[in-house]
Amino acid sequence: MVHSENPYILLTPGPLSTSASVKAVMLRDWCTWDDDYNQGVVQKVRKKLVSLATQADGYTSVLMQGSGTFCVESVIGSVIPRQGKILVLANGAYGDRFARIVRTLGINMTVHSSGELGPTDLDRASKELEADSDITHIGMIHGETTTGMLNPIGEIGALANEYGKVFIVDAMSTFGGVPMDLDSLHIDYLISSANKCIQGVPGFGFILARQEELEKTDGFARSHSLDLFDQWRTMELGNGKWRFTSPTHTVRAFAQALLELDAEGGVEKRYQRYCENHRILVEGMERLGFECVLPHEHQSPIITGFRNPSHEAFEFLRFYNLLKERGFVIYPGKVTDIDSFRIGTIGNVFPNDFERLIQAVEESMYWRA
Ligand SMILES: *Cc1c(COP(=O)(O)O)cnc(C)c1O
């Protein structure tokens, strides 16, 4: 695979490696009130996102300036009424960040933390919902990028449905790369961003919402610039008009990335490529003696944590630089109690890139010499 102009590929989701054609479409300027942009780019993107999310009726999408976290904050701050309360299920840095946003906004909350290596505790969640009728919303992370753990949104969605709670999912690192149907998962709000599995460049994120729920939230927002309902209404009434300056080049690149997702064969095909990238990575690393942080059954094909080799000469930065010289940039670890590093398998990266990576890792194991 040719990665034009890039001295290395990014195995850091995200930003991640994007195709030359995604980058190329950014070489023109767009007017933010003209139909060429609003109808021709923004509305098409919004519609396409809904069709990727579900075949069911009743869903809509909103694009929001900023990185993924801004979109998470937009949803939390805009959809929970003043007297509402959220149950947050956390098992990593992104779950903790979700809870921190809730706390910062002064919203009533109960947090269940199952630890960075612990799967979501379904039984505990169900008991909480039974015991505390003040809870109005449930929030959780799908792919916890701290470890690469895939959380059971289907099971929690079923609980949300059973108890009549609004269900918010941060699917930042999985949407577009892991097949999912919002309607059958009972998801009311799903958040993701341009620079993850859709393989666009950074600058904005998006929210997929059950329209009936979103329509109830007029006036709930605790922030003006992140007001989800107002952003949605402006886009609906203005045919793709954003309230404030839109990241035009990034949105245009994202439209191209969506076409390339279709050209690849859609989400299922992309998922299979990521799984193949991940399989080659894990088999190769294990053959070289590395150990995964997570048991295989909880691991997503998005990003994988590996324990640092126990050899005392191992230093992450030296290893990192040797890999970088060979054309690969990896990610430091984020797990608190385990010395580890992470390797992402999403983006415009392919099985043969991972075969080359394994060779580069073998050459970079200076501590074995
Ligand atoms: C990437 C990511 C985010 C958003 O991070 P930003 O740095 O704000 O783009 C949020 N949640 C998860 C699970 C992520 O992987």
Side-chain angles (χ1 to χ4, degrees):
M1 204 60 218
V2 179
H3 299 281
S4 60
E5 314 275 324
N6 283 323
Y8 36 74
I9 60 175
L10 305 181
L11 302 178
T12 56
L16 35 66
S17 285
T18 57
S19 70
S21 35
V22 162
K23 289 185 274 283
V25 296
M26 290 188 285
L27 292 173
R28 70 155 277 189
D29 305 310
W30 297 87
C31 172
T32 53
W33 63 264
D34 194 279
D35 266 356
D36 288 347
Y37 179 67
N38 290 328
Q39 277 285 5
V41 182
V42 177
Q43 290 298 69
K44 283 189 183 153
V45 162
R46 290 183 62 214
K47 223 170 153 177
K48 181 68 191 172
L49 285 172
V50 173
S51 77
L52 289 178
T54 184
Q55 297 310 309
D57 291 335
Y59 281 83
T60 186
S61 69
V62 193
L63 314 184
M64 183 64 78
Q65 294 94 333
S67 82
T69 304
F70 291 66
C71 298
V72 175
E73 183 148 354
S74 167
V75 171
I76 295 171
S78 303
V79 310
I80 305 173
R82 291 295 182 278
Q83 65 285 8
K85 178 174 183 180
I86 186 166
L87 170 63
V88 175
L89 308 173
N91 51 2
Y94 292 93
D96 292 346
R97 186 184 295 176
F98 192 113
R100 183 168 181 168
I101 293 169
V102 175
R103 212 171 287 124
T104 303
L105 293 171
I107 296 167
N108 215 343
M109 168 173 66
T110 294
V111 184
H112 285 185
S113 179
S114 46
E116 285 163 322
L117 302 181
T120 307
D121 190 336
L122 296 169
D123 193 46
R124 190 174 168 214
S126 148
K127 287 194 175 115
E128 190 77 48
L129 293 170
E130 190 63 49
D132 185 356
S133 60
D134 288 349
I135 293 168
T136 51
H137 291 65
I138 305 174
M140 72 186 293
I141 314 295
H142 185 212
E144 179 45 86
T145 317
T146 310
T147 51
M149 190 175 316
L150 211 50
N151 285 319
I153 51 174
E155 282 84 344
I156 297 297
L159 281 178
N161 186 47
E162 183 187 338
Y163 286 91
K165 311 301 178 189
V166 176
F167 189 30
I168 303 172
V169 175
D170 167 351
M172 207 69 69
S173 63
T174 50
F175 185 79
V178 176
M180 60 184 88
D181 177 77
L182 266 59
D183 189 56
S184 47
L185 293 165
H186 304 292
I187 296 173
D188 296 292
Y189 298 97
L190 177 140
I191 307 139
S192 188
S193 84
N195 61 277
K196 303 252 167 140
C197 294
I198 309 279
Q199 300 182 182
V201 302
F204 76 100
F206 53 90
I207 292 93
L208 288 147
R210 200 186 290 277
Q211 188 166 324
E212 196 187 6
E213 273 307 319
L214 182 59
E215 281 172 353
K216 294 177 193 162
T217 64
D218 187 6
F220 287 8
R222 294 157 180 85
S223 154
H224 177 51
S225 55
L226 295 176
D227 185 335
L228 183 69
F229 180 85
D230 203 36
Q231 181 91 337
W232 174 72
R233 180 167 50 195
T234 304
M235 283 187 173
E236 285 289 299
L237 298 179
N239 267 318
K241 179 99 181 59
W242 297 51
R243 289 181 305 159
F244 313 121
T245 301
S246 144
T248 47
H249 299 75
T250 300
V251 176
R252 179 62 188 89
F254 189 72
Q256 175 63 24
L258 284 167
L259 291 179
E260 294 179 16
L261 173 59
D262 269 353
E264 185 171 355
V267 175
E268 181 63 45
K269 276 285 176 341
R270 180 158 292 179
Y271 175 65
Q272 285 166 18
R273 170 164 62 89
Y274 291 167
C275 287
E276 187 60 6
N277 290 349
H278 175 254
R279 185 189 65 79
I280 293 166
L281 172 71
V282 171
E283 280 180 17
M285 292 296 280
E286 288 183 341
R287 185 168 48 75
L288 294 173
F290 290 90
E291 234 182 280
C292 294
V293 168
L294 281 187
H296 291 175
E297 73 262 27
H298 293 137
Q299 177 70 56
S300 69
I302 305 296
I303 186 168
T304 306
F306 295 96
R307 288 171 184 267
N308 287 355
S310 51
H311 201 290
E312 60 188 31
F314 177 84
E315 274 172 62
F316 175 74
L317 212 53
R318 189 163 165 204
F319 179 54
Y320 172 89
N321 280 320
L322 288 167
L323 287 177
K324 183 172 156 186
E325 282 166 22
R326 286 166 176 75
F328 303 93
V329 163
I330 65 168
Y331 227 26
K334 213 172 188 171
V335 178
T336 319
D337 301 328
I338 299 174
D339 291 326
S340 60
F341 59 90
R342 292 175 294 169
I343 300 182
T345 32
I346 63 176
N348 190 50
V349 290
F350 298 85
N352 89 64
D353 291 316
F354 288 88
E355 277 153 15
R356 294 190 304 109
L357 170 72
I358 294 301
Q359 211 174 323
V361 168
E362 189 160 16
E363 291 164 15
S364 305
M365 295 171 74
Y366 64 90
W367 60 92
R368 293 204 307 192

